[in-house]
Amino acid sequence: MKVLVPVKRVVDYNVKVRVKSDASGVDIANVKMSMNPFDEIAVEEAIRLKEAGKVTEVVAISCGVTQCQETLRTAMAIGADRAILVETDAELQPLAVAKLLKALADKEQPQLIILGKQAIDDDCNQTGQMLAALLDWPQATFASKVVVEDGKVVVTREVDGGLETESLTLPAVVTTDLRLNEPRYVTLPNIMKAKKKQLDTVKPEELGVDVAPRLKTLKVGEPAKRTAGVIVPDVPTLVAKLKNEAKVI
């Protein structure tokens, strides 16, 4: 059983994001980049399934600039068997990424695709759902538990009212949530081994996919500065401020 795990290179979650002076986007010059945390959880889950004997091969995939190779090497250091980079300098939006992943899925013929529920840079939460629609595969989003058995994948997912359990017939698409697992620490020996693992590079044109952006970003700005709170002496004063100053009641 083969599993594909798409991973995205994003600004590290510990870095304070800065907006470019021309408001055209986020400044990533000389900024630490790393694997999207939700995708790291997806890689970990795929490796655990392999260690449990449910999966025979884990293939990591990334779409983007040449530097995405670093992210793929990290995925292979965690335990992925090989990696594929769809190399392009174009601005990739969720639909374009879903089309690229669909083309690779048609080529690789996996039984399961596990990916993060969203990327922490754009927070779109769209790629997994779009990919499932393009492939016409069943999908389960926000997975907090994944069990593969008897040609099916049983997914426990988080919903507003609690937990929901779904049984999907393979092949299927699963997107991961935070509580699914805790990714392992990547050791130096595994980092060295990852350098020798297979990493193939393809272009979007070779896959027959048009990655031209469908959406145009007009402006990127920082959120408004929050004013300091005040302590009120009693409830009537609080109500008066909410009514007259905040104008929320």
Side-chain angles (χ1 to χ4, degrees), residues 3-14 32-49 58 60-62 70-80 114-120 143 174-187 191:
V3 176
L4 295 189
V5 186
V7 296
K8 186 176 184 181
R9 178 177 181 263
V10 299
V11 175
D12 190 88
Y13 68 92
N14 288 311
K32 181 184 178 183
M33 307 292 283
S34 61
M35 186 188 301
N36 179 48
F38 291 105
D39 296 340
E40 195 171 1
I41 291 170
V43 175
E44 173 67 26
E45 191 63 22
I47 301 309
R48 292 188 184 189
L49 289 172
V58 177
I61 299 173
S62 192
E70 301 168 9
T71 307
L72 290 172
R73 293 293 179 193
T74 300
M76 289 190 285
I78 295 173
I114 308 177
L115 64 164
K117 69 172 184 178
Q118 65 192 75
I120 62 171
V174 175
T175 71
T176 62
D177 211 339
L178 280 174
R179 278 156 292 280
L180 178 58
N181 62 52
E182 185 174 340
R184 68 194 65 190
Y185 178 76
V186 181
T187 62
I191 293 174

Side-chain angles (χ1 to χ4, degrees), residues 61-245:
I61 299 173
S62 192
C63 305
V65 295
T66 306
Q67 290 85 340
C68 290
Q69 291 185 18
E70 301 168 9
T71 307
L72 290 172
R73 293 293 179 193
T74 300
M76 289 190 285
I78 295 173
D81 298 291
R82 59 186 175 92
I84 302 172
L85 171 62
V86 183
E87 189 175 358
T88 176
D89 293 325
E91 176 194 350
L92 293 176
Q93 294 174 349
L95 179 59
V97 175
K99 288 181 177 179
L100 291 170
L101 295 177
K102 195 262 184 187
L104 288 173
D106 290 341
K107 181 179 178 182
E108 292 287 335
Q109 293 295 307
Q111 285 70 55
L112 183 63
I113 300 177
I114 308 177
L115 64 164
K117 69 172 184 178
Q118 65 192 75
I120 62 171
D121 52 0
D122 57 22
D123 275 336
C124 282
N125 183 16
Q126 296 174 346
T127 304
Q129 293 88 324
M130 289 179 170
L131 175 60
L134 292 172
L135 288 168
D136 196 24
W137 287 6
Q139 63 171 311
T141 56
F142 315 137
S144 60
K145 183 179 180 181
V146 175
V147 178
V148 176
E149 55 186 8
D150 301 327
K152 296 182 181 294
V153 55
V154 179
V155 177
T156 302
R157 59 189 301 269
E158 299 184 349
V159 296
D160 291 340
L163 298 176
E164 179 180 273
T165 302
E166 296 181 348
S167 177
L168 312 179
T169 302
L170 296 175
V173 176
V174 175
T175 71
T176 62
D177 211 339
L178 280 174
R179 278 156 292 280
L180 178 58
N181 62 52
E182 185 174 340
R184 68 194 65 190
Y185 178 76
V186 181
T187 62
L188 182 59
N190 286 336
I191 293 174
M192 300 306 293
K193 290 177 184 176
K195 293 181 179 180
K196 299 179 180 179
K197 291 184 178 180
Q198 179 182 347
L199 196 162
D200 299 320
T201 302
V202 297
K203 299 288 185 181
E205 302 78 45
E206 297 174 44
L207 299 173
V209 177
D210 176 17
V211 296
R214 266 58 175 182
L215 305 174
K216 181 180 180 182
T217 301
L218 300 179
K219 182 181 180 182
V220 176
E222 293 185 3
K225 300 290 184 182
R226 296 182 63 180
T227 56
V230 295
I231 299 176
V232 294
D234 49 42
V235 173
T237 307
L238 173 61
V239 173
K241 284 184 174 293
L242 291 174
K243 185 175 181 180
N244 302 323
E245 296 181 18

